[in-house]
Amino acid sequence: MQYPEAVEELIEYFRQLPGVGRRGAERLALALLDWEADKQRLFGLAVAKLPERIGNCPECGAIAPAGEVCAICSDSRRDGTLLCVVENMPQLFAVEKGNSYRGKYLVLGGRLSPLDGEDGSSLNLELLRKRASGGEVKEIILALSPDVEGRATAAYLAELLADAPVKLTRPALGLPAGSNLSFADSATISAAFSGRTDLK
Amino acid sequence: MQYPEAVEELIEYFRQLPGVGRRGAERLALALLDWEADKQRLFGLAVAKLPERIGNCPECGAIAPAGEVCAICSDSRRDGTLLCVVENMPQLFAVEKGNSYRGKYLVLGGRLSPLDGEDGSSLNLELLRKRASGGEVKEIILALSPDVEGRATAAYLAELLADAPVKLTRPALGLPAGSNLSFADSATISAAFSGRTDLK
């Protein structure tokens, strides 16, 4: 049996979300069909109105209510001399969950990835350069993922910011807290040993 | 950091889909924010317009384009003397994927589940009774899941249809095709042995 066209369309949209395959998309669409009509309409409008309701913070590139500065950039208790560069919003939230960083952010909006056609032109590089040379920021933490593309992006940014009057750092590489040493990969062990800290 | 209100709303809706927890809902919402504005609008409208575009087939209760008889009920090549009763659309699609059943369906819209407040009042029982006594149907296959609530529902339906001029059957219980006998549970083994078939 074919799904009605309206359902098939819905399945195609759900499939484009991360981690959702054809079967998962069918399951989500069929579950949605069991909702009350009003709830379907409200959910649909919540999605359809995203472009009007959500935009990017003009100071850091993070998601924010349309036309507004984001909650972090407008928070005067955050340390404006520290700027943490992340690839995307999930990474920003990950750093926030760490609950120790009190500086501000710059959301790149991606990473260099030549194979996927990302040459940096859609990244927030102009904004980063502006923040780096604006005078307020003293240190920029390049918190990109320590994988191949993340390192390449960090190296590219370090070059871009070579002349900016800021300190450039990156988070420490080492053993994840709570992990078992015997399961650590060799690159992590190597980084953890070369970056060892004094105990006394 | 708080999500903007529009994003928080979206997360709450995603959470109400099956198999989607808080983290998963955040991931889906953030992925959706990366879509083009036009695609967000089209997806939203595809959801919001479901109530106008999708309804229930008046003959079998399956999902169908609003106001229309579903594709199976309107297919004259399907055997109208066979009626397969399923709980919901995923079960109907499961039977269809078996690719051997060529009769028609009746979608109950649920199962008896007193603990969840389902006493049968929202099930398509009236439609079932009408089909059972309409004259065309000769056999009704109660293809409910062979678990506690499914069996209770099948027993209830069997009683409801006791006087109807139709044969009542249910799918065979037994070993799943391709399974390993040593992993079968005792109830399945027992059903498979008592329902054994002649080989010559």
Side-chain angles (χ1 to χ4, degrees):
Chain A
M1 181 195 177
Q2 293 282 346
Y3 291 97
E5 198 192 331
V7 179
E8 197 59 57
E9 278 175 27
L10 201 60
I11 291 171
E12 279 309 307
Y13 282 116
F14 273 124
R15 273 189 75 172
Q16 295 173 57
L17 290 170
V20 181
R22 171 77 198 182
R23 292 285 294 261
E26 289 179 10
R27 208 162 57 107
L28 293 177
L30 290 175
L32 200 52
L33 284 171
D34 276 341
W35 287 13
E36 301 282 333
D38 272 351
K39 201 165 136 192
Q40 291 173 345
R41 286 193 199 98
L42 289 172
F43 177 35
L45 289 182
V47 175
K49 288 196 176 299
L50 280 179
E52 283 94 75
R53 295 181 67 188
I54 295 292
N56 289 105
C57 171
E59 305 204 353
C60 75
I63 55 168
E68 293 181 24
V69 169
C70 78
I72 291 179
C73 283
S74 56
D75 183 347
S76 60
R77 289 163 306 176
R78 311 260 332 194
D79 184 353
T81 67
L82 277 175
L83 189 73
C84 175
V85 178
V86 292
E87 294 167 21
N88 50 38
M89 291 305 297
Q91 291 190 357
L92 185 155
F93 287 114
V95 177
E96 283 295 285
K97 274 175 194 148
N99 225 353
S100 66
Y101 179 68
R102 302 302 298 160
K104 299 197 168 176
Y105 290 93
L106 192 130
V107 181
L108 273 186
R111 47 179 18 202
L112 291 184
S113 179
L115 293 178
D116 299 329
E118 179 54 77
D119 57 357
S121 55
S122 72
L123 304 183
N124 277 328
L125 299 179
E126 209 35 64
L127 196 54
L128 173 60
R129 229 190 310 236
K130 210 180 90 190
R131 296 291 294 272
S133 56
E136 188 187 8
V137 174
K138 304 293 178 219
E139 177 180 349
I140 295 183
I141 305 168
L142 299 177
L144 294 109
S145 297
D147 54 14
V148 175
E149 289 180 348
R151 281 164 189 258
T153 307
Y156 178 77
L157 296 182
E159 204 171 310
L160 190 81
L161 299 173
D163 297 331
V166 293
K167 193 171 154 188
L168 276 185
T169 59
R170 71 159 189 209
L173 290 176
L175 301 167
S179 67
N180 185 323
L181 185 68
S182 55
F183 299 144
D185 62 285
S186 58
T188 300
I189 296 261
S190 166
F193 274 70
S194 69
R196 63 191 180 278
T197 55
D198 286 332
L199 284 180
K200 61 161 194 164
Chain B
M1 183 192 175
Q2 293 282 347
Y3 291 97
E5 198 193 330
V7 179
E8 196 60 57
E9 278 175 29
L10 200 60
I11 292 171
E12 279 310 306
Y13 282 116
F14 273 125
R15 273 190 75 173
Q16 295 172 57
L17 291 170
V20 181
R22 171 76 198 183
R23 292 285 293 262
E26 289 180 10
R27 207 162 58 107
L28 293 177
L30 290 175
L32 200 53
L33 283 171
D34 276 342
W35 288 13
E36 302 281 333
D38 272 351
K39 200 165 140 194
Q40 291 174 346
R41 285 193 198 97
L42 289 172
F43 177 35
L45 289 181
V47 175
K49 289 197 176 298
L50 281 179
E52 284 94 75
R53 296 181 67 188
I54 295 292
N56 290 106
C57 171
E59 304 203 355
C60 76
I63 56 169
E68 293 180 24
V69 169
C70 78
I72 292 180
C73 284
S74 55
D75 183 347
S76 60
R77 290 163 304 175
R78 311 264 325 198
D79 183 353
T81 67
L82 277 175
L83 189 73
C84 175
V85 178
V86 291
E87 295 167 22
N88 50 39
M89 292 305 298
Q91 291 190 358
L92 185 155
F93 287 114
V95 177
E96 284 296 284
K97 274 175 194 150
N99 226 351
S100 67
Y101 179 68
R102 302 302 300 162
K104 299 197 169 176
Y105 290 94
L106 191 130
V107 182
L108 273 187
R111 48 178 18 199
L112 291 183
S113 179
L115 292 178
D116 299 329
E118 180 53 79
D119 58 358
S121 56
S122 72
L123 303 183
N124 276 328
L125 300 179
E126 208 36 63
L127 196 54
L128 173 59
R129 229 190 310 236
K130 209 179 92 191
R131 296 291 293 273
S133 57
E136 186 187 9
V137 174
K138 304 292 178 219
E139 177 180 348
I140 294 183
I141 305 168
L142 298 177
L144 293 108
S145 297
D147 54 13
V148 175
E149 289 180 349
R151 281 164 190 257
T153 306
Y156 177 77
L157 296 182
E159 205 172 310
L160 190 81
L161 300 172
D163 297 331
V166 293
K167 192 173 155 189
L168 276 185
T169 58
R170 69 159 191 210
L173 290 175
L175 301 166
S179 66
N180 185 324
L181 185 68
S182 55
F183 299 145
D185 63 285
S186 58
T188 300
I189 296 260
S190 167
F193 274 71
S194 70
R196 64 192 180 277
T197 54
D198 286 334
L199 284 180
K200 62 161 193 164

